[in-house]
Amino acid sequence: MLDLCKAECLKLKGTKIFFLSVFILIATVFMTFSIYAINPKLSLDRDGWNDYFRSVVILINFLTGYMSYYILTCYIYSREYQENTHIALFTSSVHRSRIYFSKLLVIYIYITGSLLLAFVLSAILGTFITARPLTFEIVMYQLGIFAKMILMHAMLVPIITFLAIRWEKFIYAIVGMCTVMCLNFVLVNIPGNTFYPWTVPLLFSPHGEMGRTFTYVPGGIISICFIFVLGLFLALRSYVRIEK
């Protein structure tokens, strides 16, 4: 499994898609920093570190996280078809389920690393625009939030892997990703919004005035667990049974 994971990482190394995925999240951090540094209505000195981090969290959970993770996911799972290397891959002695999970592990490593990078970069940039100390309590609180974000975004990936495997085309899977994000804009403010699993990372994190004031937590847990199990089942079933 580790050898397969290393092979996937080597395939990603230096690709434009990987750099695009990283750039999207880095741009999110710099955009938040710039807004706080320039806009007089927002002040880290006045509002505090938690409000500053909340702005980063909202942007990632509502929009840019999905863009970064799903672009990379669609590329990893559809690349074999685009480059016509899937026949050699599927006729090897390695079981397809191991290939699937090795690719999924790479994505999970990326989600973990990119969110931790976003947290560290936000903290470093924030020190340039405030004299407020970044205390241990704030760091631990924010790390808890980012840890939950890692888990929730990871649970929403398998269904996207299914779309990429099923459609075999990078562009079609991207269309599915865009549909998911557009529905976020519509459904985040309606009653029962947590039953749409892609609103859960936002609503289960500090989200300010976005979304309804009341968040039905059991509904969010049920929906995100259901979409994780469903996505994993459909993706594995498709990947194992797909024609050579």
Side-chain angles (χ1 to χ4, degrees):
M1 180 70 77
L2 288 178
D3 289 338
L4 290 172
C5 184
K6 289 178 182 178
E8 287 297 327
C9 290
L10 288 174
K11 291 178 184 178
L12 276 179
K13 186 179 179 180
T15 60
K16 293 179 181 178
I17 292 295
F18 177 73
F19 284 115
L20 174 62
S21 300
V22 174
F23 173 78
I24 288 171
L25 287 185
I26 291 178
T28 302
V29 173
F30 273 96
M31 182 172 64
T32 305
F33 165 75
S34 300
I35 292 173
Y36 269 82
I38 297 171
N39 191 342
K41 294 182 180 179
L42 295 173
S43 170
L44 205 162
D45 277 326
R46 183 186 66 245
D47 301 331
W49 279 101
N50 286 330
D51 276 9
Y52 169 69
F53 280 116
R54 182 177 66 186
S55 298
V56 177
V57 166
I58 288 174
L59 275 176
I60 292 175
N61 285 337
F62 193 62
L63 190 61
T64 57
Y66 296 129
M67 292 171 63
S68 176
Y69 305 141
Y70 294 175
I71 285 174
L72 191 69
T73 298
C74 295
Y75 175 73
I76 287 176
Y77 280 94
S78 64
R79 177 184 54 212
E80 307 294 348
Y81 304 102
Q82 305 299 311
E83 298 176 356
N84 290 320
T85 58
H86 61 286
I87 296 176
L89 182 69
F90 292 155
T91 53
S92 67
S93 59
V94 181
H95 196 273
R96 292 188 189 182
S97 62
R98 293 186 63 195
I99 299 173
Y100 172 82
F101 281 114
S102 67
K103 294 176 182 288
L104 190 64
L105 180 59
V106 170
I107 297 166
Y108 284 171
I109 291 172
Y110 171 71
I111 291 174
T112 302
S114 63
L115 282 177
L116 291 177
L117 174 64
F119 169 73
V120 172
L121 187 58
S122 298
I124 293 173
L125 291 175
T127 59
F128 290 104
I129 55 175
T130 185
R132 277 180 176 248
L134 183 57
T135 64
F136 178 77
E137 289 76 11
I138 294 174
V139 169
M140 295 307 297
Y141 173 69
Q142 293 300 328
L143 281 176
I145 291 172
F146 276 82
K148 288 191 294 183
M149 288 167 60
I150 291 170
L151 176 62
M152 291 184 288
H153 281 285
M155 293 179 75
L156 293 171
V157 165
I159 194 66
I160 303 300
T161 68
F162 166 68
L163 297 180
I165 294 166
R166 186 69 175 177
W167 290 336
E168 300 181 4
K169 298 289 185 180
F170 180 73
I171 188 63
Y172 294 156
I174 293 297
V175 169
M177 174 203 73
C178 292
T179 302
V180 162
M181 292 191 298
C182 289
L183 287 173
N184 250 0
F185 286 96
V186 177
L187 300 177
V188 72
N189 289 310
I190 67 170
N193 47 14
T194 53
F195 285 103
Y196 180 65
W198 284 273
T199 64
V200 173
L202 173 70
L203 296 173
F204 278 18
S205 304
H207 55 275
E209 297 179 357
M210 293 195 69
R212 300 178 66 84
T213 303
F214 174 74
T215 299
Y216 185 57
V217 175
I221 295 174
I222 291 170
S223 67
I224 201 167
C225 289
F226 173 77
I227 204 68
F228 171 71
V229 173
L230 178 66
L232 203 58
F233 170 76
L234 292 176
L236 269 174
R237 185 172 182 272
S238 298
Y239 207 65
V240 169
R241 296 187 178 186
I242 199 167
E243 294 292 335
K244 295 185 179 63

